[in-house]
Amino acid sequence: MESTDVVRALGALAQPLRLQVFRALVVVGDTGLTPGAIQQALGVAPATLSFHLKELVASGLVTQERVSRNLVYRAAYAQMNDLLSYLTENCCHGSSCAVETATSSCDC
């Protein structure tokens, strides 16, 4: 993944509503969602949603497909995984990146 693609993807996710839409698409998987279903779930105006979906599609993180009379939006998992790989490629200089779990004890 090129750095310009990374910047575009992170920029798309840097807006709260777009992040919500993307996460909703990730949750539903390959079935995707229509704009109407997204509007109902997130309570957003159609024009606003259309603008944000266009930005997510342009970033490559979301795909759009016409199915009969409906548009279906899906998370682009390959692109998402490429982004995550890019971000973690040089993680911890090759050593383990696991975060130690803190013990929750209270001496109160």
Side-chain angles (χ1 to χ4, degrees):
M1 178 172 248
E2 298 294 322
S3 61
T4 54
D5 298 327
V6 171
V7 169
R8 188 178 303 116
L10 291 175
L13 295 176
Q15 201 284 338
L17 180 58
R18 286 194 293 263
L19 182 59
Q20 278 186 296
V21 170
F22 182 72
R23 292 185 73 192
L25 293 172
V26 168
V27 168
V28 298
D30 289 334
T31 58
L33 292 171
T34 63
I38 298 169
Q39 288 172 309
Q40 189 174 28
L42 300 179
V44 61
T48 302
L49 180 61
S50 177
F51 170 78
H52 290 297
L53 284 170
K54 184 178 88 172
E55 293 296 314
L56 286 167
V57 170
S59 76
L61 290 172
V62 170
T63 63
Q64 171 188 316
E65 178 186 7
R66 180 162 296 281
V67 177
S68 184
R69 293 179 10 195
N70 297 313
L71 290 174
V72 176
Y73 291 88
R74 294 180 183 91
Y77 294 103
Q79 188 77 358
M80 178 187 76
N81 288 332
D82 288 348
L83 175 61
L84 292 172
S85 293
Y86 181 91
L87 293 173
T88 59
E89 182 177 9
N90 298 313
C91 181
C92 304
H93 301 292
S95 62
S96 175
C97 294
V99 178
E100 293 182 31
T101 57
T103 56
S104 57
S105 63
C106 181
D107 296 328
C108 308

